[in-house]
Amino acid sequence: MKKKIMASLLVGSAVVGASLAPLSAQAVTTGNTPVQVEFGGGVLPEHELDGPDVDPDPSTKNTDFDIVAIPINFNFPLMKIGEDLSAIKEASPGYRSISIGDLRGTKEGWHVTGEIAEMSNGTEKLSGEFNFNFTPYYAEYVSNTTVGYYRPTATLNGVNIADDPTAPSFSGTSMKIGGGATLLINASVGKGQGIWLGRFGRAVPTLNVTTPYQQLKKGAYTGNITWNLVAGPSI
């Protein structure tokens, strides 16, 4: 009885092995069809609206890497000598912005600096600090029948800028008068491709005058903010 059972098991194994043999002998052939797509640098649209933000150089067309808009001005009110000059607020506060575009496709990053070389009243120089805050946004280009301009939006293509790993850092909060260039926005390697907008809030900027009031000369002290866009991240 034991021998018959053994024989039937051996026959079953032979049948299974025979059924697998043809599958392992099947031939397979393959082929490849090339697929390619190529991208070039883009072109930044012009900012044509005269308002709180203006084109820094309307005589020159934007390229694929540019400052596309800057604040038109910052005006502080008439103050009296002897008053508190530590946090002078603007006479007519409003939202203004600086917009940066990078469509080069290099992904090398970039940075922006701001500098107030001096504020002077004739030969008299003012010492102090220009204080502000930045709120980061995407710069969305809007075109109507007459002009095109950039407006802030926190969400673009379903991505919130706060969650965007490619967004640059908006870290500037002040510029010292005569203190040299100050880092304001920094895009490290792999970041900053797109069009970005840093908006100045309504409550600030403020001007902190540190010149002793005994040394102030009656009249207007004026100056300029120089904005610089530099290829490559700040070190």
Side-chain angles (χ1 to χ4, degrees):
M1 181 66 70
K2 290 181 180 181
K3 288 182 179 180
K4 289 181 181 180
I5 293 172
M6 293 280 291
S8 64
L9 287 173
L10 288 172
V11 170
S13 296
V15 171
V16 172
S19 67
L20 291 175
L23 292 176
S24 62
Q26 290 178 356
V28 178
T29 61
T30 62
N32 295 310
T33 298
V35 179
Q36 177 178 313
V37 63
E38 187 173 357
F39 299 97
V43 178
L44 294 163
E46 300 297 316
H47 184 89
E48 300 168 318
L49 182 67
D50 291 327
D53 309 322
V54 294
D55 187 334
D57 186 5
S59 64
T60 303
K61 294 291 185 181
N62 287 333
T63 64
D64 56 4
F65 182 57
D66 254 312
I67 300 176
V68 294
I70 58 174
I72 189 169
N73 58 28
F74 292 102
N75 287 321
F76 295 94
L78 172 68
M79 301 294 294
K80 301 294 182 64
I81 293 175
E83 291 181 338
D84 182 6
L85 307 180
S86 61
I88 306 172
K89 294 183 179 180
E90 280 199 273
S92 300
Y95 291 115
R96 275 146 301 180
S97 309
I98 177 172
S99 301
I100 308 298
D102 178 10
L103 301 181
R104 295 170 296 168
T106 63
K107 301 181 73 174
E108 68 174 300
W110 47 266
H111 65 281
V112 173
T113 63
E115 180 179 2
I116 306 176
E118 68 174 29
M119 292 185 68
S120 61
N121 177 6
T123 59
E124 301 291 321
K125 310 295 183 189
L126 192 71
S127 60
E129 203 167 53
F130 180 68
N131 298 306
F132 56 92
N133 62 8
F134 257 150
T135 302
Y137 289 96
Y138 297 107
E140 184 176 40
Y141 185 75
V142 177
S143 180
N144 58 33
T145 56
T146 57
V147 298
Y149 61 96
Y150 291 86
R151 68 182 179 189
T153 177
T155 302
L156 189 66
N157 298 324
V159 179
N160 190 291
I161 193 169
D163 303 319
D164 190 342
T166 70
S169 170
F170 292 74
S171 57
T173 58
S174 66
M175 283 180 273
K176 186 177 180 180
I177 300 171
T182 300
L183 178 65
L184 303 176
I185 312 172
N186 188 45
S188 57
V189 174
K191 296 187 177 185
Q193 186 161 290
I195 312 176
W196 313 89
L197 184 149
R199 175 182 262 189
F200 296 90
R202 290 179 65 90
V204 288
T206 61
L207 186 64
N208 173 24
V209 174
T210 57
T211 301
Y213 76 87
Q214 296 92 340
Q215 298 176 19
L216 291 173
K217 180 182 177 181
K218 182 179 178 180
Y221 286 78
T222 60
N224 291 298
I225 299 175
T226 301
W227 314 93
N228 285 305
L229 172 63
V230 185
S234 176
I235 299 174

